[in-house]
Amino acid sequence: MSFLAELGLHFLPETILAIGVLVLILIGAARGERGFTLVDEMAVGLLGLAVLAIVLSTKQGDATVFDGAFIDDGFSRFLKVLTLIGAMASILMSVDWLQRNGLEKFEFPVLIILSTLGMMLLISADNLIALYLGLELMSLALYVMAAFARDDGRSSEAGLKYFVLGALSSGMMLYGSSLLYGFAGTVSFAGIAQAVTASPPVGVIFGLVFVLAGLAFKMSAAPFHMWTPDVYEGAPTPVTAFFASAAKMAAVAITVRVVITAFPAITTQWRQIIVFLAIASTLLGSFAAIGQNNIKRLMAYSSIGHMGFALIGLAAGTEAGVRGVIIYLAIYLVMTLGSFAAILAMRIDNRNVENISDLAGLSRTNSLMAFFLAMLMFSLAGIPPLAGFFAKYYVLLAAVDAGLYPLAVVGVLASAVAAFYYLRVVKVMYFDEPAPGFDRSPLAIRAVLAVSTIAMLGFWLYPAPIMDAAGVAAKSLF
């Protein structure tokens, strides 16, 4: 297949974003301060075009491109769509927040597009070099976005912490990649799978541990979570929403691809690592969030716990487990976007507020928002018949089918503990004395909040599209 054919048939979404981001930079530079609105609208359009290109490319079948550096298969296409949805929602929700805080710079949507391009390369990576290329393109843009409110000390601190710890994790992953290349003699995942036997040398295990440690940092899985609460709290809220949604999709996707496609012969060895990460994440996410008063920090620990649940499905190492992970990610994405839409709507007298106590009595001052947020909290807690329950059900079912009974028990217990702090938010909204009411939020934020809640309520009525797509995506890895 020629270079142009590869670009047009199997790499079109990435090509659209790569060319589009250059055009956006030129437009922004030419229009200066007046370019924000136009660049923002064009960025959403670019992401929409990329989604359309992915949908159209499903008829082309699976293929590797650029000498096996990237792969276009059902798994990558589904996860790319989730990532693009997260990026689009983040841009739409950010406009009003940026304008109110004097940060309406055209660089913001440009950075989101660049980071999203890195995420898409990461999801499609089929060798270690492509993996690192996508990871760094994603991360470098995220470092800048974390410190985007440069006059805010908390934002600058968040950016610096994320950068320093992110550089450390990248170094660990590179060291692991070099070990794997040294022992396998190739960087391609298929080549590593052929070279690594059921009794691998200790160097391969060390390499795998370092690679998974680097990826666990990007997922914010414990014990590599230390940056998450401070960065979530300090970064601008639209940036935090982007971190918690789109970035998580890419990090989990490449972790699944690496262990399933590159190390099928040593499932027992990598399963031990994944089980440890899953248990540590679910327990830490459940217990550490209990004492939080800042809702962004609460969502940080919540995301750590949810990554633990996704890893429970991966630990099964089966097609059903991967299918459970994909379903979990799709539902988690919607729940997270809805929750951050509610957080962005928390404004009193044109001032951002982030404490859980600011939600007091919301049912009496804004009953519709209180209902939407309560449904999202119930879903995050995994209470049936909301979508969050089914997300946890499928990953736990895969773990049980794989014989990982202790892991499934830990997951259920951690979910019961986590329900406390989700229900506490509901209690504050419905039973505490009312705090001052929130300002009227913009249409985009209300729309994301409403659509997310309706999706969570409606999933159990019509789950077929997500279930079928997840099944096809999981099958493409096996």
Side-chain angles (χ1 to χ4, degrees), residues 100 345-351 366 437-442:
R100 287 175 183 266
M346 292 171 62
R347 296 182 67 89
I348 298 174
D349 296 332
N350 208 27
R351 177 176 54 87
N366 190 335
F438 296 143
D439 301 345
R440 183 174 174 79
S441 52

Side-chain angles (χ1 to χ4, degrees), residues 65-147:
V65 295
F66 307 138
D67 292 326
F70 299 98
I71 185 168
D72 177 31
D73 59 5
F75 179 77
S76 65
R77 285 191 288 267
F78 188 83
L79 269 297
K80 283 179 188 176
V81 169
L82 294 183
T83 302
L84 289 165
I85 290 170
M88 275 194 288
S90 299
I91 291 179
L92 289 170
M93 292 192 297
S94 69
V95 177
D96 179 74
W97 193 96
L98 293 170
Q99 289 174 340
R100 287 175 183 266
N101 289 275
L103 293 170
E104 62 272 36
K105 313 291 185 186
F106 79 88
E107 290 90 350
F108 187 85
V110 166
L111 286 167
I112 285 190
I113 298 290
L114 281 171
S115 185
T116 306
L117 175 59
M119 292 171 195
M120 294 174 71
L121 296 178
L122 187 61
I123 291 168
S124 289
D126 204 32
N127 68 32
L128 294 172
I129 295 174
L131 186 160
Y132 187 71
L133 177 72
L135 188 78
E136 286 304 293
L137 180 56
M138 172 185 86
S139 299
L140 290 171
L142 290 178
Y143 299 151
V144 180
M145 290 172 66

Side-chain angles (χ1 to χ4, degrees), residues 381-416:
I383 295 174
L386 298 166
F389 166 77
F390 295 99
K392 291 180 178 177
Y393 172 76
Y394 285 113
V395 292
L396 292 171
L397 182 65
V400 169
D401 289 344
L404 303 174
Y405 302 112
L407 181 59
V409 169
V410 170
V412 172
L413 294 176
S415 185

